[in-house]
Amino acid sequence: MLIVMKTGATAAEIDAVVRVIGELGYRAHPMPGAARTAIGITGNQSSIDPSHFENLPGVAEAVRVSKPYKLVTLDLHAEKTVVRVGDASIGGDELAIIAGPCAIESRAQAFAIAEAVRRSGARFFRGGAFKPRTSPYAFQGLGEEGLQILAEIRYTYGLKIVTEALDEAGMDLVERYGDMIQIGARSMQNFTLLRRAGKSRMPVLLKRGLSATLDEWLLAAEYIMSEGNYQVVLCERGIRTFSQHTRNTLDLAAVPAVRRVSHLPVIVDPSHGTGKNYMVTSLARAGVAVGADGLIVEVHNLPDQALSDGAQALTLEQYEQLVVEVRAIHEVMAPASVT
Ligand code: PEP
Ligand code: MN
């Protein structure tokens, strides 16, 4: 259920509704909007009687939400959410660019790439310290040492750090050193991790699972939000199909599909979405053209020597050119053309 407050409802009236929800044993999620506040209710196993709320001062209506997700939906928050990451943001007018290597391999590697990312005007630096690798024998990341390098990059270049946590201990560390927690495709249905991210005060980048439907992906976001963290960005990173010409199939239709049902920002990962260097820029352009709020792109100073995902890494020069091209596309897209 969702309680829609009247335009001009007072803070005291909103607080009173929140209190009644708590007294019934449920959790209240107040979402202020441009015109009015809506309050989502979670924690109920069966339907709630709307008469608990209909006569409370300031309440316009109590609406049943038929969709399986209650908080990610436009019914709760009609305006698009802008996720704030310090003084940068994702989901506003600016195209968010998150760039960096797949994994932090050394201080020299990370700094060489970060310098180019900074020069491009991007606000976010990515790089894994904990890597979810298919083989247990492949490079697993530098762990805390990698996070320390990332923290130095934040300090030196003012870039916001986006990095993955694989488990709850990793999340404690990412909270200490990073700016935004990445939940990887393989962890999208790690429900303990999702709940832990929901208790964090840090924004979360939630990648789509390799075989996740739109509803499963949105319900993963719902797990995070149901714990009180509403700062969630969705990332389309490609799904498994029978195609042999790419590592994954980048499902660009997911961008307008998310936009139709959810207020959350959505970005595109053309690197994991193709797995091939020569396709990354084309698919990045396409991602921006379908209305993504940003891109996450893998870049390496020496792609041939990368310890992970070298085949999809852009060189620094290719990356610089990509930024010029996607910015030009973003500029000519009037907000009205994005459905
Ligand atoms: C990554 O971003 O390096 C990564 C491992 O991505 P995904 O979880 O989408 O495979
Ligand atoms: Mn990678």
Side-chain angles (χ1 to χ4, degrees):
M1 173 151 298
L2 143 71
I3 311 299
V4 181
M5 300 301 292
K6 290 180 181 153
T7 314
T10 65
E13 287 168 342
I14 294 168
D15 286 349
V17 174
V18 167
R19 205 166 43 245
V20 171
I21 294 169
E23 282 163 7
L24 289 165
Y26 308 134
R27 184 166 184 155
H29 301 267
M31 298 270 172
R36 41 89 173 154
T37 290
I39 307 170
I41 305 178
T42 61
N44 55 303
Q45 302 292 341
S46 54
S47 62
I48 302 171
D49 183 354
S51 66
H52 288 300
F53 308 101
E54 276 164 352
N55 297 322
L56 293 177
V59 170
E61 55 177 337
V63 186
R64 277 193 212 289
V65 183
S66 55
K67 302 187 184 83
Y69 30 82
K70 316 287 176 201
L71 304 175
V72 306
T73 136
L74 286 168
D75 298 339
L76 182 63
H77 195 254
E79 303 89 28
K80 241 175 79 180
T81 288
V82 179
V83 169
R84 310 256 170 225
V85 188
D87 64 354
S89 60
I90 304 177
D93 294 339
E94 207 180 314
L95 182 71
I97 296 177
I98 305 171
C102 180
I104 302 301
E105 300 168 4
S106 68
R107 200 173 175 282
Q109 172 246 20
F111 269 74
I113 301 166
E115 199 273 326
V117 171
R118 176 68 229 161
R119 205 161 5 93
S120 75
R123 303 295 314 276
F124 301 88
F125 187 73
R126 62 147 293 147
F130 301 102
K131 294 305 303 175
R133 303 305 300 282
T134 302
S135 164
Y137 308 119
F139 176 61
Q140 305 282 311
L142 295 181
E144 188 164 359
E145 187 194 339
L147 291 174
Q148 284 162 350
I149 295 170
L150 285 167
E152 270 190 72
I153 283 171
R154 182 213 285 114
Y155 180 77
T156 309
Y157 297 106
L159 291 162
K160 307 293 174 212
I161 303 301
V162 182
T163 193
E164 179 164 357
L166 286 176
D167 52 28
E168 291 172 76
M171 197 143 317
D172 294 341
L173 289 168
V174 170
E175 283 177 328
R176 186 165 341 139
Y177 294 104
D179 296 296
M180 187 171 200
I181 304 160
Q182 179 173 327
I183 297 199
R186 289 156 194 81
S187 301
M188 192 208 82
Q189 285 189 315
N190 180 339
F191 300 113
T192 318
L193 195 64
L194 296 174
R195 285 202 191 280
R196 170 64 183 79
K199 294 195 169 75
S200 178
R201 300 176 70 83
M202 210 170 250
V204 179
L205 180 64
L206 177 65
K207 292 194 134 194
R208 180 179 180 183
L210 277 75
S211 63
T213 63
L214 184 67
D215 275 1
E216 287 164 344
W217 187 20
L218 292 173
L219 282 167
E222 185 85 12
Y223 261 93
I224 300 169
M225 294 180 74
S226 70
E227 295 292 337
N229 187 352
Y230 309 123
Q231 299 286 96
V232 180
V233 175
L234 299 165
C235 176
E236 165 57 40
R237 49 80 70 206
I239 49 172
R240 278 282 165 90
T241 71
F242 50 80
S243 285
Q244 293 174 313
H245 55 281
T246 50
R247 179 180 180 188
N248 293 292
T249 296
L250 190 62
D251 176 17
L252 289 176
V255 175
V258 166
R259 193 73 87 226
R260 176 159 286 223
V261 292
S262 178
H263 53 87
L264 295 177
V266 55
I267 69 166
V268 162
D269 176 347
S271 306
H272 297 87
T274 62
K276 301 209 190 303
N277 168 293
Y278 82 95
M279 289 184 179
V280 170
T281 300
S282 311
L283 274 291
R285 289 194 297 249
V288 175
V290 292
D293 294 297
L295 297 169
I296 179 166
V297 185
E298 289 190 349
V299 190
H300 203 288
N301 55 331
L302 298 167
D304 301 347
Q305 291 171 38
L307 297 181
S308 65
D309 286 352
Q312 67 196 33
L314 295 183
T315 64
L316 303 185
E317 294 72 28
Q318 289 171 330
Y319 164 71
E320 278 166 34
Q321 182 60 25
L322 174 148
V323 172
V324 171
E325 292 179 19
V326 296
R327 287 234 171 91
I329 294 168
H330 185 69
E331 208 136 288
V332 296
M333 285 178 56
S337 71
V338 178
T339 49

